[in-house]
Amino acid sequence: MNSILDTFFGLQGRTALVTGGAAGMGYGIARALALAGARLVIADRDAQAAEIAVAKLREAGCEARAYIIDLSQESEIAPMFDAARRYFGTVDILVNNAGSYPKYDFLQITAEQWNAVHQLNLRSLFVCMQQAVKLMLEAGRGGRIINISSVASVHPATIANAHYSAAKAGVNALTRGAALEFAGKGITVNAILPGPIASDGPRDPDAPPVIGPAANPQRWITGRMGTIDEVAAAVLFLAGAGGAYTTGQALAVDGGFLLS
Ligand SMILES: NC(=O)c1ccc[n+]([C@@H]2O[C@H](COP(=O)([O-])OP(=O)(O)OC[C@H]3O[C@@H](n4cnc5c(N)ncnc54)[C@H](O)[C@@H]3O)[C@@H](O)[C@H]2O)c1
């Protein structure tokens, strides 16, 4: 890397943990951080995909480990951070990316379905942040937390998605709250709000078609969906030294969807 890129974006000697890092946006983010020099912990419930992701990163000359976890199981989260500490000493960068977006009819959603969406998309992020901040404070060299939210947190994106919008709005509030708490310790906390992104993660073939503003190509004012790399590039900025003075922000990577 030439020196200005290295100064702003270089992550040599840093450890990043990316949840849901085996596939889709998470893998693209993990790959970008690893290629910028970070050691990677790929945390995912899909063991096969996680091992493939790690093998690809190692082939590219990066240092990476997989950690298999169902983030919905809260008791599994602290042991994951213990393992990351054992593997690489600490966690400097946490990317809370894992999430799911099942569609449920507003009038039919059950308490169990609501709770499952909020457990994974909001509560598990909070618990990961708690664990990561403890390691960051212990290491005493600041840190970066990047929460993958959604444009749906500030503008309804699709039908049958209000439960998800509510969880992601919680992520934005959590981001700002934690940013305020830890700014004095050199730990930045930001959210990225992707718009419609062509992700390649596993899809339920029986899922109903997605309907609503974000699924309407007329609302894609750039004329296309976003790419995983366009989200990864925003993460890279926030993760590096160049992002040190940016905290508590919600950065939409949406091709102008929120303007449309
Ligand atoms: N794709 C989009 O258009 C879009 C738009 C806005 C926001 N987002 C957000 O971006 C993030 C990633 O989305 P994506 O489309 O890449 O998802 P994806 O479904 O393609 O991939 C998610 C990854 O997370 C893992 N995962 C899912 N549940 C898990 C669990 N309980 N424990 C551990 N790992 C788990 C999966 O195995 C997979 O590897 C999510 O938070 C999502 O809400 C996506």
Side-chain angles (χ1 to χ4, degrees):
M1 234 189 267
N2 83 29
S3 62
I4 188 70
L5 295 181
D6 210 18
T7 303
F8 288 172
F9 304 112
L11 298 175
Q12 289 77 11
R14 303 278 147 180
T15 296
L17 187 150
V18 180
T19 68
M25 224 180 285
Y27 176 68
I29 291 166
R31 179 174 170 276
L33 296 172
L35 292 175
R39 298 177 289 248
L40 250 294
V41 180
I42 300 237
D44 206 288
R45 68 174 174 193
D46 184 336
Q48 200 188 359
E51 290 303 341
I52 291 170
V54 163
K56 283 195 285 189
L57 294 183
R58 287 184 180 160
E59 233 173 83
C62 307
E63 224 179 316
R65 299 280 300 251
Y67 190 90
I68 309 311
I69 180 170
D70 178 357
L71 288 148
S72 295
Q73 302 302 317
E74 195 164 321
S75 60
E76 294 185 20
I77 292 177
M80 172 174 75
F81 282 87
D82 290 344
R85 190 171 181 272
R86 271 199 316 279
Y87 299 157
F88 296 131
T90 190
V91 170
D92 301 291
I93 301 159
L94 167 66
V95 183
N96 272 320
N97 162 80
S100 68
Y101 28 94
K103 305 289 177 264
Y104 297 120
D105 182 276
F106 193 96
L107 299 177
Q108 307 287 336
I109 184 171
T110 65
E112 288 72 22
Q113 289 166 334
W114 170 280
N115 289 343
V117 166
H118 281 245
Q119 184 69 36
L120 179 61
N121 289 302
L122 178 56
R123 171 87 190 153
S124 85
L125 272 74
F126 171 66
V127 179
C128 286
M129 288 166 75
Q130 278 187 317
Q131 294 297 321
V133 167
K134 285 179 189 167
L135 290 184
M136 290 168 185
L137 292 176
E138 180 189 80
R141 52 183 196 181
R144 298 281 187 277
I145 297 175
I146 298 146
N147 293 324
I148 305 300
S149 178
S150 169
V151 288
S153 64
V154 293
H155 189 288
T158 59
I159 301 296
N161 206 35
H163 51 287
Y164 171 84
S165 292
K168 292 291 194 181
V171 170
N172 299 352
L174 192 57
T175 299
R176 289 189 295 270
L180 179 67
E181 299 253 355
F182 302 111
K185 301 288 183 192
I187 299 170
T188 67
V189 189
N190 291 286
I192 290 179
L193 281 51
I197 303 294
S199 179
D200 56 1
R203 289 283 163 265
D204 174 2
D206 301 325
V210 178
I211 300 164
N216 174 5
Q218 304 287 327
R219 297 283 299 268
W220 304 344
I221 60 175
T222 54
R224 64 175 177 86
M225 295 177 88
T227 67
I228 286 173
D229 280 349
E230 286 164 336
V231 176
V235 172
L236 207 51
F237 158 62
L238 293 170
Y245 203 55
T246 301
T247 197
Q249 299 304 301
L251 174 61
V253 179
D254 70 342
F257 169 74
L258 291 177
L259 304 172
S260 69

